[in-house]
Amino acid sequence: MVVSIDTNSGFCFGVTRAINAAESELEKGALYCLGDIVHNGQEVARLELKGLATIDYDDLRTLPAHSRVLLRAHGEPPSTYWIAQQRGIEIIDATCPVVKKLQDRIRACYELHRNDEGRAPQIVIYGKPGHAEVIGLQGQTNNTAIVIESVDQLHLLDFSRPIYLFSQTTKSVEGFHSLVEAIQSQISNLKSPIALEAHDTICRSVANRVKELQEFAKANDIVFFVGGTKSSNAKVLYKNCVEANPNTIFISSPDEVDKINLSTFTFPLSTLKIGICGATSTPLWLMEQVRDKLSRNP
Ligand code: SF4
């Protein structure tokens, strides 16, 4: 039996940068993080052992002046910076530069068109409602942006006004293009067509992984996909993995390996190839623990 880890899986650039920032700031003293630093419980627990304290918005409003708060890669709406300023809190901004650029683009679009019709422009975000990154993006539009997750929600759009479409960075490219096609098709049936500006703002650090991940999944008999249950990116990449290899199993921790009976698969154990891969929020050390567990208890 051969067990291997996908060399392209693991933290993306933005998450690595935020975790490095947390580790180096923790050396200087107490540090809070607004929300889980990454959608992976084990990595959060590792950093909490080093002293990182995860807080929510209510906590932020009651922190003493000069407290140091790290903003994670997902980014934050302008209101968070405003609260921090009012309370004299020091912000360590680890917003991923890709997310920051997207926030700036949405804000610029909002500012450019805010007076076109005497009301806020119709900015649409293809994303998950309530996701931290999406909250940060909505904040750039004074919370006027409409968030939709699928073509089934087109009824939420106003087809008498221009549409400015953007995407959460971790959504699927395929899903975005289906949405654009569905909007265009609806527009083509209008008596007075409206303008659609579609901006594909999906992070290629995620999108480019799909092909490599699927090749890795196909090259193995059974695949263990390691990801956090709260991670959007893990959900997308797991789905891609299953498409390439239906024998893909989602797990969040090495302990879950014990619950899987490999003999239910029809592959001969002696030549079995098991692959381990994960999301952009999955630490390499966690995938290594899964590998070690499988190697010890085939
Ligand atoms: S997935 Fe892309 S945009 Fe999101 S944190 Fe990672 S590098 Fe940044």
Side-chain angles (χ1 to χ4, degrees), residues 11-15 73-74 96-99 133 169-170 202-206 233 280:
F11 290 157
C12 62
F13 151 77
V15 171
H74 290 317
C96 172
V98 178
V99 175
E133 182 191 317
T169 57
T170 47
I202 292 160
C203 173
R204 268 32 192 180
S205 168
V206 178
N233 170 246
T280 54

Side-chain angles (χ1 to χ4, degrees), residues 2 10 81 110 197 277:
V2 179
Y81 295 86
Y110 176 75
E197 262 185 31
C277 55

Side-chain angles (χ1 to χ4, degrees), residues 229-290:
T229 48
K230 288 198 250 171
S231 164
S232 295
N233 170 246
K235 281 183 196 128
V236 172
L237 293 182
Y238 167 67
K239 193 168 154 266
N240 294 135
C241 229
V242 173
E243 278 164 17
N245 184 341
N247 296 321
T248 300
I249 303 157
F250 188 102
I251 58 169
S252 294
S253 81
D255 294 342
E256 291 172 51
V257 169
D258 295 334
K259 296 178 200 151
I260 292 142
N261 183 0
L262 293 180
S263 61
T264 58
F265 294 93
T266 51
F267 306 104
L269 205 56
S270 57
T271 57
L272 184 65
K273 283 193 279 178
I274 298 183
I276 299 163
C277 55
T280 54
S281 52
T282 306
L284 176 61
W285 61 261
L286 194 60
M287 291 187 279
E288 286 172 344
Q289 284 185 359
V290 172

Side-chain angles (χ1 to χ4, degrees), residues 117 119 143 156-157 165 189 200 207-208 242 246 251 262 289 298:
E117 302 171 276
R119 57 179 168 158
N143 293 323
L156 297 175
L157 309 192
L165 176 67
N189 293 326
D200 171 356
N208 290 344
V242 173
I251 58 169
L262 293 180
Q289 284 185 359

Side-chain angles (χ1 to χ4, degrees), residues 92-126:
I92 289 123
D93 196 346
T95 304
C96 172
V98 178
V99 175
K100 194 88 193 150
K101 196 170 161 198
L102 172 55
Q103 289 183 341
D104 292 346
R105 284 180 73 180
I106 291 180
R107 184 157 198 87
C109 178
Y110 176 75
E111 295 294 345
L112 182 66
H113 298 291
R114 65 186 300 177
N115 293 319
D116 288 359
E117 302 171 276
R119 57 179 168 158
Q122 182 170 218
I123 294 180
V124 178
I125 297 165
Y126 169 50

Side-chain angles (χ1 to χ4, degrees), residues 14-27:
V15 171
T16 303
R17 187 173 167 274
I19 287 170
N20 288 346
E23 293 200 296
S24 82
E25 291 296 329
L26 277 167
E27 286 172 14

